[in-house]
Structures are given as structure tokens and as C-alpha cells.
Amino acid sequence: MTDVRDLLARVSAPEGSGRPIHDAATGEVIGNAPESGVDVLDDAVARARAAQPAWEALGHDRRIEYLLAAADAVDAHAEELARLLSREQGKPLNGPNARFEVGACSAWLRSSASVALEPQVLVNDGDTRAELHYRAVGVVGAIGPWNWPLMIGIWQLAPALRMGDTVVVKPSEYTPLSVLALIDVLNEVLPEDVLLAVSGGRDVGARLASHPDIDKVMFTGSTATGRRIIESSAGNLARLTLELGGNDAGIVLPGTDATAIAQDLFWGAFINTGQTCAALKRLYVHDSVYDDVVEALAEVARTTPMGNGLDEENVLGPLQNKQQFDIVNRLVEDAKSRGARIVTGGSPARELGELFYPITLVADIEDDAPLVEEEQFGPALPIIRYTDVEDAIQKANRLDVGLGGSVWANSRDEARAVASRIQAGTVWINSHGGLHPLVPFGGVKSSGYGLEFGVEGLKAVAVPQVING
């Protein structure tokens, strides 16, 4: 294990250069991110292109060994990575946060190494034998987000490496240092130029999406940026996997035990202080249990500590950046102006720091309020009362998003019947947002397309080939 300062020194720009990166909780400068241009990106893509044939030629067994060694390297540096992530992104060390995220990195590396992808025999009738194989797509461009920068980065790069692709990573401008540190750790064991990272501005991301030598683009982020990536990739016909905005709906059915679901409901909405694509962002609750659910959530909110992520007691942190803070503040102020009831929170927690916003439960709000219709991506949850389940399903489906959804009920059979009618890539029952490395994940409608994880995730970073004869 190295010291966090040693890890930072390995990835930061030289003194006097680069762009300062601030601690999300305190505002202190923690390091300087390299600010590379498109010339550096072009060089990285060329190097990845040159390294790709030899990497693919190693075969699955040898690449699996490298992925397992990479997982061991992450484990060896887990605490330094978690502490850097906590400072840069803002999420606390404990709870489902920084240490959890770093642990997920090694878990997903191991899962990508363990998944079997065997040739599929399509026809074997004595006259014809046809098999479906999957081979490397080539060079993958991975454009990551700032909310789960390490974990989502691994989701993109691990299956690509497993399939014989080389990868060029472009970190978010908000959280570059922790991603560069992760790539540095992985490259302790990986062959040269198989995995490269280029830290820079939007011009670098745009060039990566449109680069003629990029065969596949993986992007997690906003729908607006996803649309621009689609346009940029038209020239090179790069394959795409896009995990875009959510605004996930949850429906609590009549008679549900509010106390039994309160903790899972709370973390479904407020994991990473609400800064999660597949977090619960609008909650429809039947009138018969509405007051009970609101109060049960309020009790959890009142007893869940928020503050500096390096404090071992805290499990909720700040918003990562001022732009997101301003969005949350604007939407809550609008809800107040419309007469919605603020149950907890409702105004910035300046006593904790500039980017802290408390858990804000907003009750008695109309379904057409901006806090419901826009993805808040932060610690504010609108709770909408309904009396007819059909109406709740219609409201859950009315927006042009479909990443995730959830149904909450005492009866799983009743919940499944409703879940089958929710327009979302994943619908959870009595939970929200939980992911498994072997269970495919992806969105519908404007929440993107393509699948990640498991066998389907491996196929997504490969090209099919039929061998006939």
C-alpha cells in the first residue's frame, strides 16, 4: 500500500501546470489534473491501435490472468483509492460509498474474468455446421462520469480488455485524478499501451467519439451529451453503448408496510447523496399509506449523518460540483413556490460547506412540477400521492426516460404484475438500484441503449463472427 500523496504525485500534472482539482467537501486544492489536448489523444489512440493485435492474440485464458492480477492490484491500493475518491468526488468512505465503490472495482474485474462466452452452434444437421463466435471489436473509447467514476470506469474497461480490445479512457473533468490513479494502478500489471487515459476538456471527449480509429464508444452521462456522441460517431460508424439520464420512478402499492421498506427506499433514492443515474428520483405512494411512508422516510433522513467524507461516521456527503448543487437548489425552491410541503431539509446546509444540501423530502407535490419532471440528480425526492394504481403506472411511464424503476409491496406477486408494465430497462421489487455483475443492465427510451454486465456485456464490446462450414 502506498500513501495517497504518493498516488497523487504519480498522476498529477507538474507543479504550476494543469487544472486545480478541489476537495468537494472543503474546497481545498488536492492536486492538478493534466490538461491534454487532442494531439495527446490522437497519440494514445495510435498506441492503443498498435497494441491491440498482440493483446487479442494472447487469448482469453491469458487475458483473464491479467484481469485477476489487476483486481489484486486494486485491492492492494484500495484504501488510497478510496480516500482520493472521497475527497475528489465527495462521497464518504463508509456506507455504500468510496470503499464500497473501490471494492466493486475489483469485484467487477473478477466477474469479467470469470464469465464464460462459448461459441454457439447455430446449425449442425450433418450437411451444415454454423457457429457464432465473438471476437474483439478493436479500440474502445470509454468516456466516464463524475458520480461513480471508478466503478463505472471498470464497467467500461474490464469487459473490453477481457474480449481483447484495447481501451482509451477519457475521465470526467470533475473527477479526473481518482480515475487516473485507478488506471495507474491497473497499469502496474497490464501490458504497455493496452489501457491508456487522457485527461482533458470537452474537445478531447468529442475527438474520442469521432476518432476514425475508435471502433466502440462507451459513455455514461446525460442524455444531451449522449445525443452529441451519436452525431459524432456517425462518421466512423463506431458501435455505441450509452447509459444516459434516468429520473427513475418508484410505486408503493396499497397496504405496504412503510416501516419495512423505509431503509431500502431511502438508500434507493439517496445512495451517493442522490447522485446516481439509476437512483429513485420520483416516488408515487398510495393514499392509504402515504403519510406512513413520508414519516418513515423522514425518520431515516433525520438519523443518517452527513458531512466530510473522511469522517468515519458520515455516510452522506456534498454535491460534487456547484452546477449540480444549483440544479437541486433551483428545483427545491420552485417546489416551495408551488406550495409543496418540505418534510426534511429544503435549504442549503452551509454550516457543513458550500456544496452540502441536506436530504430533502418534498411531499404533497403535483406530478407536473419541475422537481418531478426534471432529473434532480441530488438529495431531493418528490413524493406524489395517488389513489388509483393505473394512474400511478401511467405517471411512472409518461416521461421519455427508462433506465430503472421499482415497485414496493407486501405481496411480490402483486408487485411483479405492476413491474411488468413499467417502461424501464430494469425494474426492482422492494429495492431500487442494486446491480449484479452477472445481470445485464441498460436503459430504454432516452435513457440510452446497449447492455452491460455478464455475457451480454462481453458481447457488447465484441463483434459477432459466423464460421460456416
Side-chain angles (χ1 to χ4, degrees), residues 143-145 219-226 243-245 277:
I143 305 174
F219 171 74
T220 297
S222 71
T223 298
T225 302
E243 195 240 280
L244 307 179
C277 295

Side-chain angles (χ1 to χ4, degrees), residues 103-270:
C105 289
S106 62
W108 250 267
L109 282 163
R110 296 182 197 285
S111 175
S112 295
S114 67
V115 174
L117 179 55
E118 302 294 339
Q120 179 184 353
V121 178
L122 304 173
V123 178
N124 188 19
D125 60 7
D127 295 321
T128 301
R129 179 180 176 88
E131 296 178 349
L132 178 61
H133 296 250
Y134 287 87
R135 58 174 299 166
V137 68
V139 181
V140 172
I143 305 174
W146 51 260
N147 58 331
W148 293 90
L150 303 191
M151 184 172 71
I152 292 177
I154 290 292
W155 292 353
Q156 296 172 334
L157 67 88
L161 292 175
R162 161 65 195 278
M163 292 306 296
D165 305 316
T166 52
V167 184
V168 179
V169 175
K170 194 277 180 187
S172 166
E173 296 149 76
Y174 289 114
T175 54
L177 294 177
S178 54
V179 175
L180 293 175
L182 174 65
I183 301 301
D184 186 81
V185 166
L186 297 177
N187 278 329
E188 291 180 355
V189 299
L190 292 174
E192 187 175 5
D193 293 341
V194 162
L195 175 62
L196 298 161
V198 180
S199 172
R202 293 184 179 181
D203 58 333
V204 173
R207 175 61 174 166
L208 186 59
S210 63
H211 200 290
D213 277 331
I214 290 293
D215 302 291
K216 167 88 184 188
V217 177
M218 303 189 75
F219 171 74
T220 297
S222 71
T223 298
T225 302
R227 294 184 192 279
R228 291 196 293 271
I229 287 173
I230 294 171
E231 294 170 357
S232 297
S233 67
N236 61 358
L237 291 180
R239 290 161 171 79
L240 301 175
T241 295
L242 303 174
E243 195 240 280
L244 307 179
N247 208 355
D248 291 9
I251 299 175
V252 180
L253 297 183
T256 304
D257 184 340
T259 303
I261 65 172
Q263 281 285 342
D264 289 333
L265 201 55
F266 180 89
W267 286 112
F270 298 117

